[in-house]
Each structure stands twice: as structure tokens, then as C-alpha cells.
Amino acid sequence: MLRTMRVPPSFRRTFSVARKEVIHILRDRSTLFFAAFIPILEMLLLGYAIDTNVRHVRTIVCDLARTQESRALLREFVNSEDFRIVAETYDDDSMMRAIVAGAARVAIKIPEDYSRRLEAGQTAQVLILVDGSESSVAGEAVNVGNAIALRESLLRSLGGRPLPIESRPRVLFNPDTRSANFFIPGLMVVLTQMMATMFAATAIVREKERGTLEQLFMTPVRPGELIVGKIVPYLVLTMVEFAGIAMVMRLLFAVPINGPFITLMTLFLPFALTMLGLGLWVSSRASTRDAAMQMAMGTIIPSIFLSGYVFPLDSMPTPFRQLSYIVPTTWMIDVSRGVILRGASWAELTNHAFVLWGMACVVMVVSVLRFHKRVE
């Protein structure tokens, strides 16, 4: 009977194994890059781009008085740094359309008799319309609006007279500020984004690992036909998944769908194509499924932080806010909240449609060309 000889521990052998592993890590540059880059990117996003304090909320103004007093009141809103005036209008319809389309989150309406009532010692009312589809913005806008009106009133009040300025805030679309109404429409987009990107990222890599990708190329199937054949089932699955999540949202969480659901599904199509194209690009660069999953997560996490899903875009520094506009998730989340909560339709979401389809075309073309180049 042979006895196994015990080999004494050797630092040289341990060092050789460690050296071999270091060489392997250094050769796998894509995994090394994402392992080192993503934590730093997350730290930068959380440290600089993410601000839980609501600032510079996009505001549309309807100043029917157009007097020195009304302009002074608007300056107080701007000087608070909580409001950023992006447009002015003189009718209620334009004011509502801007909020429904997502161009503004707050509307301030000063009535025509504002200055006359102040001079007569009567109370002048100021209407503040707030988009309730973003609960953090809604709460802050209401509180700051009331505080500004109260401060101006105290400065103007004399003796026992009533407060000259009365703020009339009105929260639209989500008057109860239910968190489910705010989070779930965005969560729908994030969940389907993760699913589509992960599926597409592993679809081609799985064939590489099994060694069947070369076999497919030996068949009459062309690379373009292979790409379409791989993507179409996942596109259908992603669309069905999105519709199923919407049904669960409506039935279990009682989130109302105020706009046309067909508009939401139609605009989700280019977003799904964009995410599948992104996953295809990942699959053309990764050699293993683990690497593909890591790279896919590296693209998903920054898009969640920069999309306005959790933190309002208006509060971000200007460079990061501009960067968020090239993230497809930003536009799709606004579409989802716009249709579900604000009741937006094609008329208000035309720009979103152009942007999403443009992104889908660019990402798919780049991914297909990259895949062809990798094949060659």
C-alpha cells in the first residue's frame, strides 16, 4: 500500500501560483478595467452627482400681473435656489402642457390683480402647481413655496391685518404623494433594462464557451441573421415582461395608468432595442459569461444613478445633468412616469420618441459592426 508523502510548505511554490494568477488578471484587461473603474465611478457619482437636497427645480411662470411686486416675488423664488425658471407663459393650457410633458416640475401663477389687492390691503393669492410624480420634488417645492409666501407676507403685514400673500400649493397627478406611484413606474424600466442587457450580453458568450459559435458560422447562417435570430426572442420576452410588470403594478399596487398604455409600449420598443444592442456590444467584448455579467452591471449601475430614478436630475451639477441626457434610462423613466402618472400622450412625448429611436439606431448599428469585426 502506497503512502502519500506529505510535501512541506514552500514559499516558492505559493509565489509561483500567485504570480501565475497575477499574470492571468493582467491579461484579462476588460475584467481588470471594470473591476477597478466601476467602484471609482460609483464613488464619483455618489460624491458629486447625487444630492438628496432638492435644488434648481425646473419652473414655468405665468405672471399675469407683470408688475414690480410680482417680479419681486419671482426673484425670491429664484434666489432661494430651489427653483429655476425655464419658461414663461400667459395661459393655463401652456402651463399644464409643460408639466405633463415633463419640461417643468413646478408652475407658479400670479393673478392679474396681485398688485392691486396688495395695495388695497387685501390678501393676494399665488397658485403653485407641483408635479407629484416626483415625490421628493413635490414635498420640497410645496414647503419652500409656502415659506417664501409667508416671509413676504410678514415683511408686508402691518398690525392685525391679514397676511397679504397667500400661497395656494396644489400637487398634481399624485396628490397623496404615494411612494409606490413614484418608484414603481421607474422600477419597471430598471428591471427590464437589467433583464434585456443581461440576456443579450450572455447570448453570444454562451455560444463561445460551448464552442458552438464557430459551428454556427460553418452553416449557411450569416452573421446578420445570427444577430437578428438571437435578439428577436429576447425582444419579445422583454416586451412581455414589461407588460406583465405593468399589470402587477396596476392590480397589486393600485397605481393608476392615466395615459394611453399603447403609447408607453410603443416608446418602450426602442428602449428595449437599445438595451439589447448594448448587451450585444458587451457580448462582443467578453470571452466568458462571468466577464459579460460584470461588464453589463458596469453599464447598468451608472445609468440608474444618473437617470433620475432615485435622485432628481435638477439637483445634479450641470456636467452630470448634461451627461444624464445621453442615458436612455433617463428618457424612458420620464416616459413611464409621464404616461402612467401625468397622463402624457404622443403630443407631449414626441421629443422622447425621437431621442429613444435615435439611440436605438446608433447602439444597434455600432453593436452589429463591432460583432462583424470580432467575427472577421
Side-chain angles (χ1 to χ4, degrees):
M1 185 176 179
L2 297 176
R3 299 181 60 183
T4 303
M5 296 180 59
R6 292 189 60 185
V7 180
S10 171
F11 175 77
R12 178 176 296 180
R13 289 192 297 269
T14 303
F15 177 78
S16 298
V17 174
R19 179 175 176 272
K20 173 182 175 298
E21 195 64 24
V22 170
I23 294 174
H24 175 73
I25 293 173
L26 294 177
R27 285 178 177 176
D28 191 0
R29 295 183 179 179
S30 61
T31 302
L32 180 63
F33 173 77
F34 278 91
F37 176 71
I38 294 302
I40 296 176
L41 177 61
E42 292 178 11
M43 183 183 68
L44 292 176
L45 290 176
L46 291 172
Y48 289 103
I50 305 306
D51 188 357
T52 56
N53 297 318
V54 178
R55 293 287 187 271
H56 310 296
V57 179
R58 284 166 288 167
T59 305
I60 186 171
V61 172
C62 181
D63 184 6
L64 299 179
R66 286 178 282 183
T67 61
Q68 182 178 354
E69 289 80 8
S70 64
R71 287 191 293 268
L73 179 63
L74 292 177
R75 279 197 300 271
E76 290 298 321
F77 278 91
V78 175
N79 293 337
S80 69
E81 297 186 355
D82 287 84
F83 302 91
R84 175 168 56 95
I85 297 178
V86 295
E88 294 186 14
T89 184
Y90 298 102
D91 62 274
D92 294 346
D93 292 338
S94 299
M95 190 169 59
M96 284 299 301
R97 281 197 302 268
I99 295 182
V100 172
R105 300 300 180 192
V106 176
I108 301 174
K109 181 180 179 181
I110 301 178
E112 186 177 359
D113 61 349
Y114 175 79
S115 296
R116 291 197 300 268
R117 295 184 68 88
L118 288 179
E119 293 174 358
Q122 299 174 343
T123 299
Q125 297 178 350
V126 177
L127 179 63
I128 302 177
L129 301 178
V130 182
D131 179 7
S133 62
E134 293 197 21
S135 56
S136 58
V137 173
E140 183 72 12
V142 169
N143 293 335
V144 175
N146 288 335
I148 291 175
L150 179 60
R151 184 172 65 246
E152 287 294 298
S153 294
L154 293 175
L155 293 175
R156 293 175 178 271
S157 61
L158 296 174
R161 292 170 53 184
L163 295 178
I165 302 174
E166 180 182 358
S167 172
R168 287 293 182 91
R170 189 173 147 207
V171 179
L172 305 174
F173 318 126
N174 187 18
D176 297 330
T177 61
R178 292 184 65 227
S179 58
N181 290 16
F182 167 67
F183 279 107
I184 294 181
L187 183 62
M188 294 169 54
V189 177
V190 172
L191 292 177
T192 49
Q193 173 189 356
M194 295 177 62
M195 185 186 72
T197 307
M198 294 292 186
F199 281 162
T202 57
I204 304 297
V205 177
R206 184 171 58 248
E207 302 287 352
K208 293 179 184 178
E209 288 184 334
R210 294 175 179 175
T212 55
L213 188 61
E214 291 77 8
Q215 297 177 10
L216 287 174
F217 290 145
M218 297 298 292
T219 65
V221 178
R222 298 179 179 179
E225 296 170 344
L226 174 62
I227 293 172
V228 174
K230 284 286 187 181
I231 284 182
V232 167
Y234 294 121
L235 177 62
V236 174
L237 181 61
T238 304
M239 298 289 290
V240 172
E241 183 73 15
F242 186 77
I245 295 175
M247 184 181 299
V248 172
M249 173 196 72
R250 182 69 187 93
L251 297 178
L252 295 185
F253 295 95
V255 177
I257 301 178
N258 297 318
F261 189 69
I262 186 64
T263 300
L264 179 61
M265 292 300 298
T266 304
L267 290 176
F268 181 73
L269 176 61
F271 175 75
L273 286 172
T274 304
M275 294 301 103
L276 291 172
L278 183 61
L280 180 64
W281 176 82
V282 169
S283 69
S284 68
R285 298 186 61 88
S287 55
T288 64
R289 272 184 286 185
D290 291 339
M293 296 287 283
Q294 187 176 15
M295 293 173 66
M297 287 302 298
T299 62
I300 292 171
I301 293 176
S303 67
I304 294 176
F305 287 147
L306 292 174
S307 63
Y309 169 55
V310 179
F311 307 100
L313 297 178
D314 295 328
S315 299
M316 294 182 182
T318 301
F320 288 96
R321 188 169 64 246
Q322 297 298 329
L323 182 63
S324 69
Y325 293 136
I326 65 174
V327 176
T329 316
T330 302
W331 296 89
M332 190 60 220
I333 286 180
D334 195 51
V335 167
S336 181
R337 289 173 178 165
V339 173
I340 293 174
L341 298 179
R342 302 195 300 266
S345 60
W346 276 109
E348 292 82 19
L349 300 175
T350 304
N351 292 337
H352 294 71
F354 281 120
V355 171
L356 287 172
W357 274 112
M359 290 180 174
C361 293
V362 170
V363 172
M364 288 300 297
V365 168
V366 171
S367 300
V368 170
L369 292 177
R370 171 70 187 179
F371 181 76
H372 275 280
K373 183 177 180 181
R374 186 65 178 264
V375 170
E376 295 171 356

